[in-house]
């Protein structure tokens, strides 16, 4: 495998160098896409770096992050099941015949630009664009990285589910940063048409060679849930410590649609996750479950923004995490109920268990309410393992590590139990176990 | 559903009695303004130096980019100092009649006669009338305006002034530090209990006049005190600015409570910095009620720097038409076994906006610390809005933080129940609103609870057709 050479860092990536890179590496695309890439490239070069005063990300020097990497990476090995995406390309096992017959489209997004140009052009970028910029309590720190992805995305999943088609089996996707790669810009476009149903399980992994150079993942996931559609999105992020991961997820949910985000965040040196859910039709529903576990010097920042723009919309966010070592977490949840979203109902819960005296946690659970006929509530807590609990367990003969393990299990069980997929729950428990032992 | 407002915050004291200021400055703020203020007051050089340094800080600091909309606030259009009478009224007879008339309507003389330890009423920028009961004097309690304190207790003032809130803290603290005038100075000696509340009233009267009172309270070891302050202001068409600084030191084992109910005129910018430092086993309590104003930004803070220190903020905010109440609380846990409680109640109506903005911080030293935060908001009609933005920073694993908040309308179930018992919708709604703010009113001293009840009842008359 060829190594990435001639890496350009974020500090050095000006508008001209990004434009030259796009011109050289993204040939043969339709003019509208080329133009969109160039526009995004200019924005990426000029947008400010993350600098929110208390941000967990502030300590990180983003200037050194790799952005443009030359080299011709190898095509990924074929996955046993589902889809595998690397810097080198997109490999997929064949779709079930029944799906194809029903009109389900599942391609590499790079191919979908050719094969379903109207659909891609209609939807690409439109979920991220719905997010109100500079609105209320959330800044726009991530905009630089979302723009980088828009300029430089290579491979990703394009999935279209036609009206009333209900996929019983999940679509599984693995994103892998191979040891030869320093950047990965995957992009997902998921369109669930009227009353359809779809589940996606994503896994983010990296190979970590000895003395790995610093690497960057900048991913964008856009979801469109049509009227009465149900979309269940699951992701387990298990990247190695050399990777800085910036992930933008955005969904627009139409009348009576349901969007469910289910996330396990375990890896990466620095994680900046940002999630936006627009409940645009009456009765639309957004449900978010986040399990996070940081140790060593990990920094995890997660921002979840939910916008209630229609009557009787509902949202429910539940995040629980464990911080060990010198890890830092910052969870910001913003629920915005717009005027006219009568009868809306919103809940947030953010809770952190602190296992080490040097761990840090920050929680900002915000409610921005412009409508009076609503119910909105949030709860947040952070605290250590109760010493009396530990003493009790240890007095029953358990070694300390086992006692801590039991407490962590008890703390995380309610949130992990909310994850809808058995397979995802198992994977999450497995990672929790590993994190406790680390 | 109710279309009429449930809580009327029409300004009830919207009279003004002409301009009685004897000496009035030109609009705007320059080095000369600051030097003149200091010279007129006959201040020592260290205070002039403090003011001039603060002016530099003020000019250097940018406007806050968050919170209420301050874009209409023009610093060049404000008069920074007004002296209403040549000297301070020593007895009630010497107070100018126009001022007396205003106070009559606010009920100050009766209050003094009945309950209060002392009345220190700030009219415009100087304290014009001030008395303190003899028995408090005998205990060694000092209660006077801050200008007097600079003259008569220079050592005490110099030791503590600006130590809790330095000019560098924020732009408005710097502004206050440069042009402050009036405010209260309280010193409670070691082990002294002051069982009756110390009370002061503040008013803004001159058009476009900034009021920059400066309050410094020192509760020495083992002492106990309760300071009470209320504000009302006449209605004017152009903007006014109120930017106070309140510094409180609560020494080891002492307990201090600071109660404010403010009802500013709807054109006042109320930008206040209030902070207390609580030492070992000390208790600091802020009771803070915010009515009126065009925009209020106020976040009473307690720095818990000694082991076992306790802090509490109990607040209500009522935001009505054209008003933004951006209020909250800050608790900084910097020592072991410190604890804090924040209870915030907000009501927004008739297009008003109530924002809770808070911070709970646990430093690595805050082992065994604990904080509980509860914020509840009632939105009474379709035009009104509310934001809840709490921040928690936990830098230790040995502390516990809990936060909960709700935003709701008046419960229809409760309304139906009360109405099925024969109450009108108006009476039922009033009862629910009073129940909602009851955790606040029950903590007020009797004098204030009476005033508060009167205010709420008055404001809710004819609320629902």
């Amino acid at each position: 495998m060829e190594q990435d050479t001639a890496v350009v860092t974020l500090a050095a990536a000006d508008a001209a160098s990004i434009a030259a890179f796009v011109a050289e590496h993204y040939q043969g695309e339709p003019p509208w896409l080329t133009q969109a890439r160039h526009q995004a490239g200019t924005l990426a070069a000029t947008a400010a770096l993350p600098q929110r005063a208390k941000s967990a990300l502030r300590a990180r020097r983003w200037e050194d992050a790799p952005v443009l990497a030359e080299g011709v990476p190898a095509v990924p090995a074929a996955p046993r099941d589902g889809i595998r995406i690397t810097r080198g390309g997109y490999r997929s096992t064949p779709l079930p015949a029944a799906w194809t017959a029903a009109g389900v489209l599942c391609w590499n997004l790079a191919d979908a630009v050719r094969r379903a140009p109207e659909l891609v052009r209609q939807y690409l970028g439109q979920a991220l664009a719905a997010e109100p910029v500079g609105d209320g309590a959330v800044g726009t720190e991530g905009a630089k990285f979302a723009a980088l992805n828009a300029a430089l995305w290579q491979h990703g999943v394009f999935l279209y589910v036609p009206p009333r088609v209900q996929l019983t089996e999940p679509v599984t996707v693995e994103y892998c940063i191979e040891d030869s790669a320093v950047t990965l810009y995957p992009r997902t476009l998921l369109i669930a048409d009227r009353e359809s149903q779809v589940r996606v399980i994503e896994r983010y992994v990296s190979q970590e060679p000895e003395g790995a150079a610093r690497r960057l993942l900048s991913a964008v996931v856009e979801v469109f849930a049509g009227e009465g559609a149900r979309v269940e999105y699951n992701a387990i992020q298990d990247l190695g410590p050399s990777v800085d991961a910036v992930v933008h997820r955005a969904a627009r949910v139409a009348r009576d649609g349901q969007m469910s985000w289910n996330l396990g965040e375990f890896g990466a040196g620095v994680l900046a996750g940002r999630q936006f859910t627009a409940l645009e039709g009456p009765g639309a529903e957004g449900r978010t479950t986040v399990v996070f576990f940081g140790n060593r010097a990990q920094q995890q920042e997660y921002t979840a923004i939910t916008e209630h723009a229609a009557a009787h919309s509902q949202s429910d966010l539940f995040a629980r995490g464990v911080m060990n070592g010198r890890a830092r977490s910052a969870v910001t949840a913003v629920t915005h109920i717009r005027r006219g979203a009568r009868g809306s109902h919103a809940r947030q819960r953010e809770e952190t268990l602190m296992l080490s005296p040097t761990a840090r946690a920050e929680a900002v659970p915000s409610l921005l309410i412009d409508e009076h006929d609503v119910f909105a509530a949030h709860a947040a807590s952070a605290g250590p393992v109760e010493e009396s609990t530990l003493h009790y367990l240890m007095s029953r003969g358990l070694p300390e590590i086992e006692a801590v393990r039991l407490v962590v299990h008890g703390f995380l069980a309610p949130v992990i139990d909310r994850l809808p997929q058995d397979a995802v729950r198992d994977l999450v428990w497995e990672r929790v176990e590993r994190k406790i032992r680390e | 559903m109710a279309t009429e407002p449930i809580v009327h915050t029409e300004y009830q004291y919207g009279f003004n009695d002409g301009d009685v200021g004897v000496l009035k400055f030109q609009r705007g703020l320059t080095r000369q303004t600051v030097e003149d203020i200091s010279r007129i007051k006959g201040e020592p050089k260290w205070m002039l130096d403090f003011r001039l340094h603060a002016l530099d800080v003020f000019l250097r600091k940018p406007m806050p980019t968050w919170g209420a909309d301050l874009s209409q606030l023009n610093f060049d259009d404000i008069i920074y100092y007004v002296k209403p009478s040549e000297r301070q009224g020593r007895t009630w007879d010497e107070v100018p009649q126009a001022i007396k008339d205003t106070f009559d309507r606010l009920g100050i003389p009766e209050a003094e006669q009945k309950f209060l330890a002392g009345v220190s009423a700030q009219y415009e920028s100087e304290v014009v009338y001030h008395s303190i009961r003899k028995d408090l004097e005998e205990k060694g309690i000092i209660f006077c305006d801050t200008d007097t304190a600079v003259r008569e207790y220079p050592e005490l003032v110099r030791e503590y002034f600006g130590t809790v809130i330095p000019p560098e803290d924020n732009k408005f603290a710097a502004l206050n530090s440069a042009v402050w005038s009036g405010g209260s100075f309280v010193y409670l000696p070691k082990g002294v209990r002051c069982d009756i509340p110390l009370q002061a009233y503040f008013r803004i009267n001159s058009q476009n006049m900034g009021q920059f009172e400066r309050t410094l309270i020192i509760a020495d070891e083992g002492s106990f005190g309760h300071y009470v302050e209320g504000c009302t202001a006449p209605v004017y068409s152009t903007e006014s600015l109120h930017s106070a600084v309140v510094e409180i030191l609560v020494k080891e084992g002492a307990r201090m409570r600071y109660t404010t109910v403010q009802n500013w005129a709807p054109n006042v910018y109320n930008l206040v910095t209030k902070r207390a430092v609580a030492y070992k086993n000390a208790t600091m309590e802020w009771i803070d009620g915010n009515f009126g104003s065009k925009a209020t930004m106020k976040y009473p803070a307690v720095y818990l720097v000694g082991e076992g220190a306790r802090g509490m903020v109990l607040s209500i905010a009522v935001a009505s038409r054209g008003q933004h109440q951006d209020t909250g609380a800050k608790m900084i846990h910097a020592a072991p076994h410190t604890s804090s409680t924040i209870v915030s109640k907000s009501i927004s109506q008739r297009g008003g906006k109530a924002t809770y903005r808070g911070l709970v911080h646990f430093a690595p030293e805050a082992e065994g610390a604990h904080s509980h935060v509860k914020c509840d908001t009632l939105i009474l009609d379709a035009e009104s809005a509310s934001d809840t933005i709490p921040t928690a920073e936990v830098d230790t694993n040995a502390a516990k933080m809990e936060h909960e908040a709700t935003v709701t309308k008046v419960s229809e179930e409760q309304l139906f129940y009360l109405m099925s018992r024969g109450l009108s919708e108006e009476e039922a709604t009033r009862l629910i609103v009073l129940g909602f703010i009851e955790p606040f009113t029950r903590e007020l001293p009797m004098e204030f609870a009476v005033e508060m009840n009167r205010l709420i009842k008055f404001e809710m008359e004819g609320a629902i057709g």
Side-chain angles (χ1 to χ4, degrees):
Chain A
M1 275 191 285
E2 194 173 337
Q3 292 290 314
D4 276 331
T5 52
V7 173
V8 177
T9 63
L10 191 59
D14 57 11
S17 59
I18 295 175
F21 191 87
V22 168
E24 185 187 343
H25 295 276
Y26 298 84
Q27 288 170 6
E29 290 184 334
W32 67 266
L33 182 55
T34 307
Q35 199 191 346
R37 287 189 188 277
H38 281 295
Q39 274 177 4
T42 307
L43 178 61
T46 52
L49 278 165
Q51 52 192 342
R52 190 164 66 84
K54 297 285 169 54
S55 168
L57 304 180
R58 202 189 183 192
R60 193 69 166 181
R61 294 190 45 218
W62 289 99
E63 292 85 349
D64 304 336
V67 171
L68 308 174
E70 300 283 349
V72 185
V75 173
R80 260 194 324 213
D81 188 30
I83 298 160
R84 176 175 290 155
I85 292 169
T86 66
R87 198 161 102 70
Y90 172 104
R91 292 286 294 273
S92 168
T93 50
L95 278 193
W99 291 16
T100 320
V104 174
L105 310 177
C106 184
W107 299 319
N108 186 350
L109 182 61
D111 297 331
V113 170
R114 270 187 302 105
R115 299 174 72 175
E118 294 308 314
L119 272 177
V120 174
R121 196 173 178 182
Q122 184 185 344
Y123 288 103
L124 188 69
Q126 295 308 307
L128 275 188
E131 186 178 331
V133 173
D135 191 25
V138 281
T140 52
E141 280 84 25
K144 193 175 183 76
F145 294 95
L148 267 183
N149 180 286
L152 301 171
W153 67 265
Q154 282 178 300
H155 309 288
V157 177
F158 170 82
L159 177 61
Y160 171 77
V161 186
R164 288 180 297 282
V165 172
Q166 305 197 338
L167 305 186
T168 44
E169 286 301 303
V171 177
T172 61
V173 189
E174 182 185 271
Y175 300 90
C176 180
I177 302 183
E178 294 166 312
D179 52 15
S180 60
V182 297
T183 62
L184 187 64
Y185 295 104
R187 185 148 190 138
T188 301
L189 188 56
L190 205 166
I191 304 157
D193 216 324
R194 271 182 296 118
E195 289 160 48
S196 66
Q197 199 173 317
V198 60
R199 300 193 184 97
V200 174
I201 301 175
E202 292 187 340
R203 293 179 57 188
Y204 294 81
V205 296
S206 66
Q207 296 169 347
E208 289 282 316
E210 194 79 14
R214 192 172 174 194
R215 287 147 356 137
L216 177 70
L217 168 84
S218 171
V220 170
V221 176
E222 290 187 292
V223 178
F224 298 85
E227 285 193 9
R230 301 178 67 160
V231 177
E232 183 193 300
Y233 172 93
N234 304 272
I236 294 172
Q237 183 272 112
D238 205 14
L239 294 157
S242 71
V243 181
D244 296 344
V246 185
V247 184
H248 281 75
R249 300 181 173 103
R252 297 173 71 164
V253 189
R255 171 188 285 265
D256 296 326
Q258 288 180 22
M259 178 68 216
S260 141
W261 302 103
N262 303 283
L263 308 167
E265 300 285 3
F266 297 97
V270 177
L271 164 76
R274 190 177 175 95
Q275 170 191 314
F276 171 64
T277 312
L279 303 173
E280 297 181 331
E285 201 180 320
R287 183 180 167 91
T288 304
T289 306
V290 185
V291 186
F292 58 101
F293 199 139
N295 61 5
R296 298 188 176 138
Q298 277 186 289
Q299 296 180 26
Q300 301 187 328
E301 178 161 295
Y302 204 83
T303 303
I305 303 152
T306 305
E307 183 158 277
H308 291 252
H312 302 287
S313 49
Q314 293 195 35
S315 68
D316 180 10
L317 175 140
F318 187 17
R320 266 194 184 179
V322 178
M323 287 285 110
N324 204 355
R326 287 173 292 124
R328 301 181 75 107
S329 73
V331 179
T332 303
V334 180
T335 301
H336 191 167
I337 301 184
R338 296 242 174 230
R339 184 152 303 164
R342 293 181 315 280
S344 288
H345 195 285
R347 272 186 192 281
Q348 299 174 4
R349 271 174 86 183
E350 304 164 34
E351 284 150 9
T352 310
L353 182 68
M354 315 274 283
L355 289 186
S356 114
T358 48
R360 301 278 184 272
E362 191 195 332
V364 187
S366 302
L367 300 173
L368 312 180
I369 313 295
D370 297 335
E371 168 62 48
H372 88 299
D373 185 12
V374 299
F375 174 83
H378 65 196
S381 74
V385 177
E386 287 289 341
E387 261 182 52
S388 56
T389 311
L390 274 191
H391 283 311
Y392 172 78
L393 291 169
M394 288 164 72
S395 76
R396 308 310 251 175
L398 284 177
E400 188 175 352
I401 178 76
E402 278 302 304
V404 169
R405 191 179 150 265
L406 268 184
V407 171
V408 169
H409 266 247
F411 178 72
L412 290 179
V415 65
I416 295 178
D417 284 349
R418 250 172 69 124
L419 297 170
Q421 294 289 314
D422 289 347
V424 174
R425 273 202 299 276
D426 292 347
L427 284 171
V428 166
W429 275 124
E430 186 191 302
R431 265 138 201 86
V432 167
E433 280 296 328
R434 207 182 60 208
K435 280 284 199 184
I436 295 171
R437 286 195 305 270
E438 265 179 16
Chain B
M1 273 316 296
T3 50
E4 280 293 299
I6 286 137
V7 180
H8 285 282
T9 50
E10 293 292 299
Y11 189 66
Q12 303 297 335
Y13 302 107
F15 45 84
N16 86 76
D17 35 49
D19 196 341
V20 298
V22 172
L23 190 147
K24 203 165 179 175
F25 275 54
Q26 295 299 306
R27 288 167 203 282
L29 179 57
T30 61
R31 196 179 161 89
Q32 190 62 48
T33 319
V34 173
E35 284 172 350
D36 288 348
I37 291 171
S38 189
R39 196 186 63 247
I40 290 164
K41 289 173 178 290
E43 284 176 351
K45 183 165 185 307
W46 72 266
M47 184 56 81
L48 175 63
D49 292 344
F50 177 85
R51 286 178 184 275
L52 290 172
H53 167 69
L55 178 67
D56 288 343
V57 175
F58 167 72
L59 295 172
R60 206 169 58 230
K61 287 241 177 208
M63 288 289 276
T65 54
W66 47 274
D69 176 14
L70 305 178
S71 58
Q72 299 301 307
L73 180 58
N74 181 0
F75 290 111
D76 294 331
D77 202 27
I78 288 164
I79 295 163
Y80 287 88
Y81 183 68
V82 180
K83 193 173 180 175
S85 60
E86 297 256 288
R87 62 193 175 89
Q88 192 163 325
R90 287 207 185 81
T91 68
W92 188 244
D93 288 341
E94 289 177 64
V95 175
Q97 191 58 41
I99 296 175
K100 269 187 181 172
D101 289 348
T102 314
F103 286 159
D104 264 343
R105 293 191 233 186
L106 292 173
I108 292 177
E110 299 96 289
E112 187 210 4
Q113 287 160 21
K114 287 173 191 165
F115 298 96
L116 303 171
V119 171
S120 173
Q122 180 166 13
Y123 193 88
E124 301 187 342
S125 302
E126 283 283 352
V127 172
V128 292
Y129 178 79
H130 177 209
S131 71
I132 187 162
R133 276 191 3 195
K134 274 224 154 53
D135 53 342
L136 295 185
E137 273 176 8
E138 281 160 12
K139 284 179 173 176
I141 296 170
I142 302 171
F143 179 32
C144 62
D145 65 277
T146 311
D147 293 293
T148 304
V150 170
R151 284 193 304 273
E152 294 183 14
Y153 310 99
E155 288 82 20
L156 265 178
V157 174
R158 199 170 177 180
E159 185 178 351
Y160 296 108
F161 194 91
T163 57
V164 180
I165 304 172
E168 288 79 4
D169 191 79
N170 67 73
K171 191 172 182 75
F172 296 99
L175 177 62
N176 176 285
S177 300
V179 300
W180 73 268
S181 192
S184 295
F185 176 80
V186 177
Y187 176 76
L188 299 170
K190 279 184 192 175
V192 167
R193 289 183 61 87
C194 178
D195 292 319
I196 15 184
L198 301 161
Q199 184 151 351
Y201 278 82
F202 296 86
R203 280 172 54 79
I204 291 177
N205 196 45
S206 282
Q207 189 174 13
N208 264 9
M209 200 213 70
Q211 179 153 341
F212 306 95
E213 88 267 13
R214 180 106 194 177
T215 290
L216 175 60
I217 297 174
I218 301 147
D220 217 326
E221 291 171 16
S223 65
F224 168 83
H226 185 181
Y227 179 86
V228 182
E229 174 207 275
C231 294
T232 57
V235 179
Y236 278 99
S237 56
T238 53
E239 324 297 353
S240 280
L241 171 62
H242 173 249
S243 185
V245 165
V246 178
E247 299 180 287
I248 300 181
L249 294 104
V250 194
K251 301 262 179 116
E252 184 173 340
R255 181 173 168 191
M256 189 69 211
R257 175 175 277 209
Y258 188 108
T259 298
T260 321
V261 173
Q262 297 191 318
N263 186 13
W264 294 104
N267 60 333
V268 173
Y269 286 96
N270 184 32
L271 310 168
V272 174
T273 310
K274 287 184 165 178
R275 186 176 303 158
V277 176
Y279 292 89
K280 190 174 175 185
N281 293 327
T283 301
M284 176 65 211
E285 298 166 329
W286 295 103
I287 315 288
D288 203 60
N290 296 289
F291 291 81
S293 86
K294 180 188 182 104
T296 290
M297 287 174 74
K298 178 160 65 163
Y299 321 95
V302 185
Y303 281 57
L304 303 152
V305 300
E307 183 163 0
R310 289 176 293 275
M312 177 173 92
V313 173
L314 179 57
S315 66
I316 64 165
V318 178
S320 197
R321 182 182 299 133
Q323 299 176 351
H324 186 182
Q325 301 280 4
D326 199 303
T327 60
K330 286 197 255 184
M331 291 292 176
I332 310 298
H333 292 258
H337 305 291
T338 47
S339 63
S340 66
T341 305
I342 299 171
V343 177
S344 161
K345 300 273 179 183
S346 306
I347 296 170
S348 60
Q349 59 157 2
R350 299 164 106 195
K353 181 164 185 178
T355 299
Y356 171 83
R357 193 185 300 274
L359 171 67
V360 176
H361 178 87
F362 292 101
E365 298 79 18
E367 197 180 306
H370 183 264
S371 177
H372 184 83
V373 182
K374 186 161 170 51
C375 311
D376 294 316
T377 303
L378 262 184
I379 303 184
L380 293 183
D381 56 55
E383 285 76 48
S384 305
S386 151
D387 290 351
T388 309
I389 307 170
T391 300
E393 297 167 353
V394 187
D395 289 356
T396 170
N397 76 324
K400 260 181 100 163
M401 181 278 300
E402 296 155 353
H403 175 98
E404 48 185 324
T406 60
V407 181
T408 53
K409 59 176 180 169
V410 171
S411 154
E412 277 170 15
E413 271 177 46
Q414 290 175 3
L415 267 185
F416 283 135
Y417 174 77
L418 291 169
M419 288 166 72
S420 76
R421 295 298 178 160
L423 268 63
S424 70
E425 187 176 355
E426 181 184 342
E427 289 165 332
T429 307
R430 188 188 306 155
L431 206 59
I432 291 166
V433 170
L434 285 173
F436 177 74
I437 62 165
E438 193 269 343
F440 180 84
T441 38
R442 116 181 126 208
E443 291 296 329
L444 293 175
M446 195 181 43
E447 165 75 2
F448 255 41
V450 168
E451 194 175 305
M452 180 89 179
N453 277 351
R454 203 174 53 200
L455 192 66
I456 293 279
K457 269 186 191 155
F458 209 45
E459 286 170 342
M460 291 182 62
E461 273 169 15
I464 295 176

